[in-house]
Amino acid sequence: MIIVLKRDVSDAQIQHIMDSVRGWNLTPNLSRGTERSIIGVIGDEAAVRVKPLEAFAGVESVMPVLKPYKLASADFHADRTQITIPPVRSGDKPVTIGGPEIVVMAGPCAVENREMLLELAAFLKENGATMLRGGAFKPRSSPYAFQGLGVEGLRYLAEERTVIGLPVITEVMDTRDVEMVAEVADVLQVGARNMQNFNLLKAIGRCEKPVMIKRGLSSTLEELLMSAEYVLSEGNPNVILCERGIRTFEKFTRNTLDLSAVPVLKRESHLPVVVDPSHGVGHWDLVIPMARAAVAAGADGLMIEVHPKPEEAFSDGPQTLIPRNFRNMMKDVERIAKAMGRSV
Ligand code: PEP
Ligand code: MN
């Protein structure tokens, strides 16, 4: 930590800062310059971070030297994290997220009914999807909008696992539901709106289920990594990061899909990175180009909304691919994955 002092800082103020730093069992090193003086603080940076240094008279700014995330950081992890989901049915292949294969999580925005879910899952499996997505608990902006089938939706997802065999990723919104959702889900999903629900993150951190954390609508990548840190610091190492678009002033798209998040997160962290172009752009015709771009940018996986009749979907119809377009997308993604030395 470096404390930059004000131009007109007094000796008494410097002394007070130095004494306080020593009082926290850290070592201050004063360096007097002609223009500016600084104090370098040596010791556990996490301990200094929580101190209100900027509140001290004479302090202009405080610059951390280390990153606030440790367990999520690539600096503290020799290898990239790979998360293996065992096959749901014997004879099927396990799914590895963060390995050479690109994982495709596809399915409806929400679980709407049993028949559609099973039929669609069979199609998706046949056409290269590696996981089924579908919300049973839906975080909707309006309390009057469809909130998901809840426990009934979980039952259909559980049935899909036994009948079709695609592993399931589904959202958990409430700490009280973590255990129940984890009984069905192969990967828990923390939605964008819950990215900073710290109690939920801690509860998920105490179970072993892999979790995919979606970037908040107005969250920085550092904040996303800190959310991952919450789960990791509770003991769950199986965290996947997901870029799903952020709020900007642009109106042609629902959100702005920040694809630079992919190389940044992969540089900063060892955790797998998935891109959700469906929520990222909000219009089905933009989903395929952005899915291609995500794979080209180095994403470890894609999350794609698919519905047999998007015009009748209970939620997010406009951004949802019909099955035929999903199949077309897979052909493109396969070619790009190959060019990147990967496969789907
Ligand atoms: C979803 O994937 O079902 C979803 C609600 O997305 P987000 O949390 O990114 O809005
Ligand atoms: Mn959706």
Side-chain angles (χ1 to χ4, degrees):
M1 186 78 79
I2 293 163
I3 304 170
V4 181
L5 301 169
K6 285 192 175 147
R7 211 179 283 276
D8 59 357
V9 63
S10 70
D11 285 347
Q13 286 168 341
I14 294 180
Q15 202 51 53
H16 178 53
I17 298 164
M18 303 273 282
D19 290 345
S20 304
V21 169
R22 281 194 205 96
W24 303 327
N25 287 325
L26 300 160
T27 312
N29 270 313
L30 176 64
S31 179
R32 280 190 192 272
T34 45
E35 297 266 330
R36 258 334 139 92
S37 296
I38 59 167
I39 300 173
V41 179
I42 298 168
D44 179 6
E45 191 164 293
V48 204
R49 234 173 233 284
V50 294
K51 306 291 182 193
L53 276 167
E54 268 140 337
F56 281 66
V59 171
E60 177 157 301
S61 60
V62 177
M63 299 188 324
V65 175
L66 300 177
K67 295 175 178 148
Y69 42 90
K70 274 209 158 62
L71 301 170
S73 168
D75 298 345
F76 293 92
H77 217 266
D79 307 310
R80 300 209 67 79
T81 288
Q82 296 198 3
I83 299 168
T84 297
I85 297 157
V88 174
R89 302 187 314 174
S90 58
D92 284 346
K93 280 195 318 174
V95 175
T96 298
I97 307 169
E101 204 165 306
I102 288 157
V103 172
V104 180
M105 307 162 168
C109 178
V111 178
E112 297 178 0
N113 67 69
R114 178 180 172 275
E115 288 67 32
M116 185 271 267
L117 190 74
L118 297 182
E119 215 171 287
L120 182 61
F123 172 90
L124 293 169
K125 190 176 185 203
E126 190 63 35
N127 286 277
T130 25
M131 293 191 74
L132 178 69
R133 65 142 288 141
F137 298 97
K138 294 301 302 174
R140 305 306 303 282
S141 299
S142 164
Y144 308 116
F146 176 60
Q147 304 285 307
L149 293 181
V151 178
E152 185 188 347
L154 286 183
R155 266 209 313 277
Y156 300 150
L157 289 168
E159 186 176 347
E160 181 285 324
R161 290 177 83 252
T162 41
V163 179
I164 312 292
L166 273 184
V168 161
I169 174 163
T170 195
E171 177 155 357
V172 57
M173 288 170 56
D174 195 308
T175 45
R176 293 166 295 189
D177 297 338
V178 171
E179 240 174 87
M180 177 178 68
V181 178
E183 263 175 45
V184 173
D186 297 276
V187 176
L188 297 168
Q189 178 173 320
V190 172
R193 289 156 193 81
N194 265 322
M195 188 202 89
Q196 288 190 315
N197 181 338
F198 301 118
N199 286 335
L200 181 63
L201 296 171
K202 283 190 213 169
I204 291 171
R206 289 190 290 269
C207 75
E208 279 180 16
K209 268 292 148 163
V211 58
M212 185 171 89
I213 307 175
K214 300 187 85 176
R215 181 181 185 180
L217 278 69
S218 302
S219 298
T220 64
L221 295 175
E222 184 170 296
E223 286 164 339
L224 173 60
L225 289 165
M226 291 308 285
S227 293
E229 194 80 9
Y230 262 93
V231 175
L232 297 166
S233 63
E234 290 289 332
N236 184 348
N238 304 311
V239 179
I240 303 153
L241 306 168
C242 179
E243 164 59 38
R244 48 78 72 206
I246 48 173
R247 282 259 163 96
T248 70
F249 47 81
E250 182 48 58
K251 295 227 182 77
F252 279 128
T253 47
R254 179 180 177 182
N255 292 293
T256 296
L257 187 66
D258 176 13
L259 281 183
S260 58
V262 178
V264 170
L265 291 172
K266 296 200 76 159
R267 182 191 69 201
E268 291 296 309
S269 177
H270 52 90
L271 299 169
V273 179
V274 166
V275 172
D276 171 355
S278 305
H279 292 88
V281 294
H283 302 280
W284 69 268
D285 56 323
L286 304 177
V287 170
I288 298 182
M290 295 316 275
R292 291 188 210 122
V295 175
D300 297 300
L302 294 170
M303 172 167 261
I304 307 287
E305 287 187 336
V306 187
H307 191 289
K309 289 195 180 130
E311 69 276 20
E312 289 174 18
F314 292 179
S315 52
D316 286 350
Q319 67 193 34
T320 299
L321 296 185
I322 53 171
R324 179 161 42 85
N325 281 337
F326 173 78
R327 188 161 52 201
N328 292 337
M329 183 202 81
M330 288 302 287
K331 284 188 201 135
D332 287 0
V333 162
E334 211 174 305
R335 283 207 299 269
I336 291 167
K338 207 165 160 201
M340 299 293 298
R342 304 181 79 168
S343 59
V344 275

